[in-house]
Amino acid sequence: MSARIIPIVDHHYAASVPSVPADTGSAPQQPTDRFQRPLHDLRISVTDRCNFRCTYCMPKEIFDKHYEFLPHADLLSFEEITRAARIFMSLGVRKIRLTGGEPLLRKNLERLVDMLHGLRTPEGLPPELTLTTNGSILARKATLLKEAGLNRVTVSLDALDDAAFRQMNDVDFPVAEVLRGIDAALAAGLGPVKVNMVVKRGANDAQILPMAEHFRGTGVVLRFIEYMDVGNTNGWRMDEVLPSQQVIDRIHAAHALHPLEPHSVGETAQRWAYDDGAGEIGVISSVTRAFCGDCNRARLSMEGKLYLCLFATHGHDVRALLRGDPRSGLAPVSDEQLRAALAQVWTTRDDRYSLLRGTAAGLAQRAERRVEMSYIGG
Ligand code: SAM
Ligand code: SF4
Ligand code: SF4
C-alpha cells in the first residue's frame, strides 16, 4: 500500500490527500470506522456563500467585505460532486443532504439534484435527497427542486417575531418571506418539512413557545438545536447554551409532551409528541447529550474536502483525487482507486468530539482551528 500523505494548507483549512491503496480490490463493501460506525449519510456543502449573517454562524465582523470566499474554479463541479456521491453510495451512503453556506445560492442547484436523483444504490434505489436552507429563496425554487427529485427540505428559522428574526439573521431579512418558503415547500410536496431553530440563551429563547405554537398542528416538525461550539468565529460560550431539557420543560408546561422512539439509528434529534395529537417536535442536544456513538455522517465541502466530524480540524482532499493534483504530481484516480481511498479514510475514523468536549482531548481539539459551520454545513 502506498502511503501518500501530502499536507496542503490553503487559506481555508488544512487537508491532506488520502492515500490510494495499491490493492484496490480488497476495499470493504460497507466499511465501518474505529468505533464500528457505518457510513450512511453524506452532507454536501455546495457553496461557502450566504445571504444571511446569523450571529452564531457567520458573524458580520468576520464575514465582511474583506472575507475571501472561494473562487468558482475551486468549487467541485456538479459532475465531480455526482461522481463522488456515486462512489460514496457504493460504500453505504443512502441519504444525501445538500447544504452550505446557503445552498440555494448555487446556480442551477436543481440540475445537481436531478443528477444525484439519477444515482442508484446497489439495491437499485435512488438516494434519499434532502436540503437544508435558510428559506430565503425557497418560494421561488420549491417546485423546481421537487421536480428534479428532491425528497424533503429542512428550513432554518430562529424566531417568529420579525424583529427578533431580523436580529438573528443580521441582514434585516423578514420572517414572512421564510414562512412563504415553507408554505411553498409544503405545496410542492417536499414534506414533511422540518424547521430548525438554533436556541441561543438570551438571544432568541423567548421565541421557543411562540415557534412551538405556530407550528403545532401544521405537520411541520420543529426541531430545537443547542447552540454549538462549531468553528472559531462565533465567540461561543457555554452559558449561552440552553439545554434541550429546558426547551422541553418550557413547552411541556404549556402543551403536554411525551417522548417517541427514534426513527432510525444515528438520528440526531430526540423526538417528542404532543399528548393532544398536534404533532411532534425534536431536540438536537449535541452539547448536553452527545450522540457520537451512532454518528454515521461524512461531510464533503464545496471544494471537495472530506470531513468526518462537524468539529474536525483536518480534512481529506478528495478533489485532488478527482482532478489530480499538479502540486504533488498526482494524476486523477479511477473510480476503483477513489472507492478504495475513501473506504480507507472511513475505516480510520475515530472522531467523537461531542463526547470528548469536557475532557483534555476535547479541549486540545478546541484549541486547534476547526472548520466553520458555513463551510461544512449543519
Ligand atoms: N444556510 C442553510 C441554513 O441555514 O439552513 C444551510 C447551512 S447552515 C450552516 C445549517 C444549519 O446549521 C442551520 O440549521 C443552522 O441554524 C445551523 N447552525 C449554524 N451554526 C450553528 C451553531 N453554532 N450551533 C448550532 N447550529 C448551528
Ligand atoms: Fe447562512 Fe445558514 Fe449560516 Fe445562517 S446558519 S449564516 S443562513 S449558512
Ligand atoms: Fe458526529 Fe462529530 Fe457530531 Fe460526534 S461531534 S455526532 S462524531 S459530527
Side-chain angles (χ1 to χ4, degrees), residues 61 71 80 114 127 157 184 210 222 234 253 260 282-283 288 292 314 320 339 377:
E61 313 78 66
E80 288 170 328
D114 182 53
L157 178 64
L222 176 61
N234 62 10
L260 293 176
V283 288
T288 61
C292 303
H314 189 89
R339 186 177 187 283

Side-chain angles (χ1 to χ4, degrees), residues 56-57 99-102 132-134 156 196 198 228 230 234 373 378:
Y56 52 75
C57 178
T99 177
E102 173 45 45
T132 303
T133 172
N134 63 23
S156 304
N196 278 355
V198 175
M228 289 187 278
V230 64
N234 62 10
M373 193 70 144

Side-chain angles (χ1 to χ4, degrees), residues 50 52-54 56-58 101-102 134 374:
C50 187
F52 283 14
R53 286 294 177 270
C54 303
Y56 52 75
C57 178
M58 292 182 83
E102 173 45 45
N134 63 23
S374 55

Side-chain angles (χ1 to χ4, degrees), residues 81-101:
I81 292 175
T82 306
R83 179 177 174 216
R86 176 166 54 78
I87 304 295
F88 276 110
M89 283 172 65
S90 78
L91 294 167
V93 164
R94 295 292 176 269
K95 185 172 161 190
I96 298 177
R97 176 176 296 279
L98 299 177
T99 177

Side-chain angles (χ1 to χ4, degrees), residues 37 291-292 295 297 299 308-311 349 351-354:
R37 298 170 296 189
F291 40 77
C292 303
C295 181
R297 293 175 287 284
R299 296 175 158 88
L308 306 181
C309 177
L310 204 47
F311 301 89
R349 173 187 192 237
D351 299 74
R352 51 197 170 116
Y353 173 77
S354 286

Side-chain angles (χ1 to χ4, degrees), residues 12 34 40 51 90 123 136 179 181 239 244 277-278 325:
H12 273 266
R34 292 217 171 123
H40 186 271
N51 53 342
S90 78
E123 302 79 41
S136 58
L179 294 176
D239 62 3
S244 292
D325 181 27

